[in-house]
Amino acid sequence: MDIVSIRDLSREQIEEVMERSERMIPYARGEKASKALDGKILATLFFEPSTRTRMSFESAMMRLGGRITDLGVPSMSSISKGESLADTIRMVEVYSDIIVIRHPREGAARLAARFSSKPVINAGDGAGQHPTQTLLDLFTIKRIKKDFNKLNVVMVGDLKYGRTVHSLAEALSSFGVELTFVAPAALQMPKETVRQVERMGGRPKLTNRLEETIADADVLYVTRIQKERFPDLAEYQKVAGMYRVDRRLLREAKSDLIVLHPLPRVDEIDPEVDGTPHAKYFEQAFNGVPVRMALLNLVLGGEL
Amino acid sequence: MKEFKVTPIRNGTVIDHIECGMALKVLRIIGMADGGKAQSPVSVLMHVPSKKEGWKDVVKVEDRELDPREVDKIALIAPKATINIIRDFNVAEKYNVKMPERVVGKARCSNPNCITNQNEPVEPEFVVESKNPPVLRCVYCDRQLDDIAGNLL
Ligand SMILES: Nc1ncnc2c1ncn2[C@@H]1O[C@H](COP(=O)(O)OP(=O)(O)OP(=O)(O)O)[C@@H](O)[C@H]1O
Ligand SMILES: [Mg+2]
Ligand SMILES: [Zn+2]
């Protein structure tokens, strides 16, 4: 079984991942120990820098008693000698039981899955999919809010290029969540995603005014606007400071509004928010570990 | 009595009911675009009324039959086309082009950042989401293929 796109999982499987993730929490915290993946080796292939995703996969594997191997310094490895990804995969699959890959090109994880007889988990392929992020976002919302139904989720920031928001929006709408997309016109949610959400019965609202959406929101999902996406600095600066989540904005919010962010943040969430009960982004980051444990356990088997 | 806009051909192939404006792309597929392999006359009718509906293009090639690979590519840009094989001035065989469920190795992905546009030992592959109009989605990067005609291999 490979996990390349969130669409590879049925709704039942997503629910199962969330149940398993809940059971993983004491193990993820180190309060309980497990040997479920004793003797198993996870290969992490990160062709692009990542701290959070890589570390949480490694931590997840080790918390389940498994081991890790990686490519080492990329410049020292065969990749810099021009080896194809297909060949790298054919080599790595004989050294490991499961492969986690992050790659700058879209479709790289699907290609890896086709060449590998061992399971492959996509940890981000260019501007494409990042299913484990989607699952940990879903888990975080479910865990705090208990029920998805009729929840009002506001997504704000770079909704056009931010790879996590597209699959999250689709997944949330399949659970009956109401969605509002807040972004400047140039960075609004792609039409294809909006259409997909509508096909699942959702009626997303699109706006560029965050203040107007905050009072009704149950979840505020904030993403970073990336400088790299803009042809010139002036254009970037025009939109970069547009949305800033601070105490003043949150005065209008419901007392149980939660603020999430895939991190790292720059200045879209003021650090003064960190100490409020709304701030759940560090809990969200921690949830990366139990969710990835649940996935490793689901794919590789083994008793807790 | 048939009404011919061009001289009847004795043997060859008539590609009929081509989507208006696609005739030159069909010529490119069959290798006739710049006179390339053409050893015999090719005639093109563009924007002629169709008995079935609206307007169409027609391509007539003398002394030549198409190979299946060419027909498969024509299906991608002209899903309503019919192939008529002419023998001794008559339509000896007629069939519709057929859009497959999957398109493998016939078009490149229009996403420049797709892994299939790197040096990988794979053929680009698409699932057909809609046959008419043709909508293809890359099985690797999950993007919809824009400009099918311009990305044919
Ligand atoms: N000998 C020929 N030389 C050139 N073109 C021909 C010849 N015979 C037929 N055609 C062309 O081939 C196409 C198919 O011919 P056919 O007689 O089957 O027409 P049709 O009954 O209108 O078919 P359809 O239902 O496919 O439109 C028409 O465009 C016709 O003009
Ligand atoms: Mg006719
Ligand atoms: Zn592609």
Side-chain angles (χ1 to χ4, degrees):
Chain A
M1 178 191 187
D2 302 303
I3 301 173
V4 173
S5 157
I6 190 78
R7 294 190 200 144
D8 293 347
L9 298 173
S10 66
R11 204 189 138 127
E12 291 67 40
Q13 284 174 312
I14 292 178
E15 273 161 3
E16 178 172 1
V17 170
M18 287 194 272
E19 275 158 35
R20 276 175 188 257
S21 303
E22 186 63 43
R23 274 182 273 142
M24 292 294 176
I25 284 188
Y27 299 91
R29 289 197 184 119
E31 294 161 4
K32 285 188 184 175
S34 169
K35 290 269 166 226
L37 300 185
D38 189 21
K40 300 284 188 194
I41 298 175
L42 164 73
T44 54
L45 302 189
F46 278 71
F47 295 93
E48 217 181 43
S50 150
T51 332
R52 240 163 294 277
T53 305
R54 186 175 52 77
M55 281 188 73
S56 71
F57 264 113
E58 292 178 352
S59 174
M61 190 64 182
M62 292 191 283
R63 292 289 194 200
L64 289 171
R67 288 161 179 264
I68 289 145
T69 181
D70 65 31
L71 286 174
V73 186
S75 64
M76 301 279 287
S77 67
S78 52
I79 291 89
S80 57
K81 293 176 198 138
E83 185 181 58
S84 68
L85 177 60
D87 279 0
T88 304
I89 295 296
R90 287 191 270 227
M91 163 199 71
V92 170
E93 71 151 350
V94 301
Y95 301 154
S96 59
D97 302 294
I98 183 166
I99 297 172
V100 171
I101 179 172
R102 150 109 23 132
H103 196 281
R105 307 257 179 223
E106 286 97 62
R110 184 70 68 197
L111 182 140
R114 287 199 165 188
F115 280 89
S116 173
S117 58
K118 307 283 170 64
V120 170
I121 299 182
N122 185 3
D125 57 337
Q129 299 283 323
H130 191 3
T132 64
Q133 178 73 45
T134 309
L135 289 166
L136 81 89
D137 293 341
L138 289 173
F139 177 65
T140 305
I141 296 171
K142 176 82 192 281
R143 188 151 201 268
I144 300 172
K145 295 293 186 184
K146 306 296 181 231
D147 192 8
F148 285 116
N149 206 23
K150 294 281 170 270
L151 219 52
N152 186 2
V153 176
V154 175
M155 297 185 169
V156 61
D158 177 358
L159 305 185
K160 184 171 184 190
Y161 302 102
R163 71 176 149 206
T164 59
V165 288
H166 307 158
S167 39
L168 181 61
E170 286 181 27
L172 283 171
S173 64
S174 78
F175 284 103
V177 165
E178 317 221 1
L179 294 165
T180 304
F181 303 140
V182 183
L187 295 178
Q188 250 305 355
M189 196 61 97
K191 282 202 188 69
E192 217 183 298
T193 307
V194 174
R195 237 179 284 129
Q196 191 62 34
V197 165
E198 287 169 345
R199 229 172 282 145
M200 283 181 285
R203 286 193 187 189
K205 293 191 223 44
L206 279 70
T207 170
N208 61 1
R209 302 181 64 91
L210 180 59
E211 325 77 73
E212 288 171 5
T213 65
I214 196 78
D216 295 326
D218 299 303
V219 177
L220 179 61
Y221 192 96
V222 187
T223 64
R224 186 161 58 99
I225 293 182
Q226 284 170 295
K227 215 189 246 155
E228 308 86 88
R229 305 294 184 194
F230 290 84
D232 66 292
L233 200 62
E235 278 299 302
Y236 165 70
Q237 279 160 344
K238 241 190 269 168
V239 295
M242 242 172 114
Y243 305 114
R244 191 175 165 81
V245 179
D246 54 19
R247 278 176 183 267
R248 203 174 56 88
L249 177 82
L250 295 176
R251 274 206 304 255
E252 306 289 317
K254 291 184 186 173
S255 62
D256 63 351
L257 165 79
I258 61 169
V259 179
L260 302 180
H261 190 301
L263 303 178
R265 68 173 151 180
V266 184
D267 50 14
E268 51 289 337
I269 301 178
D270 193 305
E272 69 183 18
V273 175
D274 299 358
T276 71
H278 301 297
K280 297 293 181 196
Y281 28 90
F282 296 119
E283 185 175 326
Q284 179 189 6
F286 163 76
N287 285 341
V289 180
V291 168
R292 290 174 177 122
M293 289 171 78
L295 287 170
L296 293 172
N297 190 215
L298 183 75
V299 174
L300 289 175
E303 290 292 312
L304 262 192
Chain B
M1 185 59 205
K2 278 180 192 143
E3 201 189 312
F4 288 112
K5 293 238 164 57
V6 289
T7 330
I9 58 180
R10 178 182 294 277
N11 295 305
T13 304
V14 175
I15 309 165
D16 196 1
H17 302 291
I18 299 170
E19 274 46 30
C20 249
M22 288 295 179
L24 295 177
K25 283 163 181 160
V26 170
L27 288 185
R28 199 175 310 143
I29 292 171
I30 63 175
M32 298 290 188
D34 40 23
K37 299 188 247 175
Q39 297 295 324
S40 50
V42 178
S43 46
V44 178
L45 295 173
M46 284 170 77
H47 206 264
V48 292
S50 162
K51 265 188 276 169
K52 287 181 182 157
E53 50 164 314
W55 304 83
K56 64 177 181 180
D57 290 355
V58 185
V59 169
K60 305 190 181 194
V61 200
E62 280 182 52
D63 300 321
R64 189 164 161 223
E65 294 186 9
L66 303 179
D67 73 48
R69 216 185 133 76
E70 290 170 321
V71 177
D72 287 348
K73 286 194 201 171
I74 293 169
L76 298 181
I77 61 164
K80 286 190 276 193
T82 57
I83 309 292
N84 299 274
I85 297 171
I86 310 295
R87 288 188 193 121
D88 202 19
F89 294 109
N90 287 312
V91 177
E93 279 176 45
K94 181 197 289 285
Y95 59 92
N96 297 318
V97 298
K98 204 165 149 276
M99 188 71 147
E101 303 291 323
R102 276 189 179 240
V103 173
V104 184
K106 297 197 178 72
R108 77 177 68 80
C109 184
S110 51
N111 170 12
N113 204 42
C114 177
I115 193 74
T116 60
N117 286 317
Q118 302 303 308
N119 250 331
E120 296 293 338
V122 287
E123 291 193 299
E125 184 172 335
F126 301 87
V127 283
V128 177
E129 288 194 337
S130 150
K131 295 195 176 192
N132 194 5
V135 176
L136 307 190
R137 188 171 300 279
C138 175
V139 302
Y140 290 94
C141 74
D142 212 31
R143 301 289 175 80
Q144 201 174 303
L145 175 57
D146 327 309
D147 183 16
I148 297 174
N151 283 294
L152 288 177
L153 288 171

